[in-house]
Amino acid sequence: MGNLLQENMFAGHAIAAAGSVAVASSLTHPLDTLKTLLQVGAGSTQQLGIAQVVERVRLVSGVSGLYSGFGLSTLGMISGIGARFGIYEIITAFYKDGREDNYVYVSEALLAGIAAGAIESVMLTPFELLKLRRQVSASRFKTSISHKAMQESTPPISKLLPGYTPDIKAWNSTVGLLSTLSPKHPDMVGALKQYPWMLTGSGRPPLASDVKGPFNIISLEGWSALWKGLRPGIARDCVFGGVFFSVWQFFHIAMLNWKALDINPPPRSIDEAGPVTPLASSLAAGFSGTVAAAASHSFDTAKSRSQCIVTPKYIAMERKLLRWKAPGIWLERVTGMSPADRNIMFRGLWLRMARSGIASSALVGSYLLAVEYLF
């Protein structure tokens, strides 16, 4: 097996990278779940604490609820992080082309990280949407309602939103209010049932925890919903990638310069100082991930909250036809942030910083150890 991997370097590095991503994801996914629930559960008047979130998850789905969406998260991280590091290596290879030493400036690492983050966001967004919907469902109490009876009264449910159980009490209340109107339409109630946003019986779209499967999302919200939150995601990953790689490169250069002080005679170039130890590189990556998470957290909150909103494709079509403009200043409109969420943009900051730091350190450390073992 070792000889086979040595003959095929790409396959060996791919296996090492996938394994390191799985290790990092398994260590930090509970932190990501708590961070997500803190972000989407916050409001202008009420904000859940971490103890309340943990207790709610424990009551609803047990300790295993902290790992809701773990498989999707791991698959998304494999594709997203692979794209991030792959694009970064390609861009920096152009920077280093023609230079005597294998050197990348911090500013070049910043620009390469920004470009890599944009590609990562496109790859990662569908997986994050599905993961977030499962994480939200892990903290929501299920209601016992006759699903079959409601499907018989509203046949479009089985076609538009398979597996969804509406609120019968709210629907009956809506029907009662409509019954006082003059029925010019021969079947007003039946006609209203054809609209997806009336399926809950309250005139509002279903909750995100009820629309968590890919087929349910596509049938109700359309294919484009898989990339919901792409704009704040691109802003988040561009900031994260730029800060992460620039800080990491800064520490890498500093460690090589420090190492070169003990070499006699002094090396002619920084490459002659030798490689950095896996432990030092892992710790530097962990610190870089923590700083990058702090710098990009507001965009992460905006993405999580936007992905938690169910917008039926018919409503999205109406907004497009009416040329509906998003509120807020130009930065909020461009990055997809809601002005109503300005006071809660840093919810779960410390959890995300801890998650990114641990994940980055575990990712780099396990990858370097795996490569050293395999090759």
Side-chain angles (χ1 to χ4, degrees), residues 302-365:
K303 181 173 185 177
S304 297
R305 292 182 67 84
S306 65
Q307 288 183 332
C308 195
I309 298 174
V310 177
T311 306
K313 51 189 173 183
Y314 304 99
I315 294 181
M317 186 183 301
E318 286 181 356
R319 290 179 177 178
K320 185 180 296 185
L321 292 174
L322 295 174
R323 297 182 180 180
W324 181 79
K325 294 183 179 180
I329 60 177
W330 69 270
L331 179 63
E332 293 171 332
R333 292 195 299 269
V334 170
T335 58
M337 302 171 70
S338 173
D341 298 336
R342 291 172 182 171
N343 296 330
I344 57 176
M345 281 299 175
F346 292 97
R347 291 286 294 172
L349 172 62
W350 296 108
L351 286 173
R352 184 163 181 262
M353 290 175 63
R355 175 187 179 269
S356 297
I358 296 172
S360 300
S361 181
L363 175 68
V364 173

Side-chain angles (χ1 to χ4, degrees), residues 160 196-197 218-223 311-318:
L160 294 172
W197 54 85
I218 293 171
S219 63
L220 182 64
E221 302 179 74
W223 283 94
T311 306
K313 51 189 173 183
Y314 304 99
I315 294 181
M317 186 183 301
E318 286 181 356

Side-chain angles (χ1 to χ4, degrees), residues 48-71:
L48 297 176
I50 186 171
Q52 294 173 298
V53 172
V54 172
E55 181 64 17
R56 187 177 181 88
V57 173
R58 187 187 67 82
L59 292 175
V60 174
S61 52
V63 179
S64 61
L66 295 175
Y67 279 91
S68 297
F70 170 71

Side-chain angles (χ1 to χ4, degrees), residues 66 101-102 125 170 195 199 241 275 279 284 305 308 337 357 373:
L66 295 175
D101 54 356
N102 194 26
T125 297
Y195 290 88
L199 291 179
L279 177 60
R305 292 182 67 84
C308 195
M337 302 171 70
Y373 174 77

Side-chain angles (χ1 to χ4, degrees), residues 244 247-259 274-289 357 360-366 368-369 372:
F244 174 80
V247 174
W248 195 18
Q249 184 67 11
F250 173 81
F251 278 105
H252 181 74
I253 295 172
M255 287 186 291
L256 288 179
N257 288 330
W258 181 268
K259 188 176 181 180
V276 178
T277 62
L279 177 60
S281 183
S282 175
L283 293 176
F287 182 80
S288 303
S360 300
S361 181
L363 175 68
V364 173
S366 58
L368 294 177
L369 290 176
E372 184 178 351

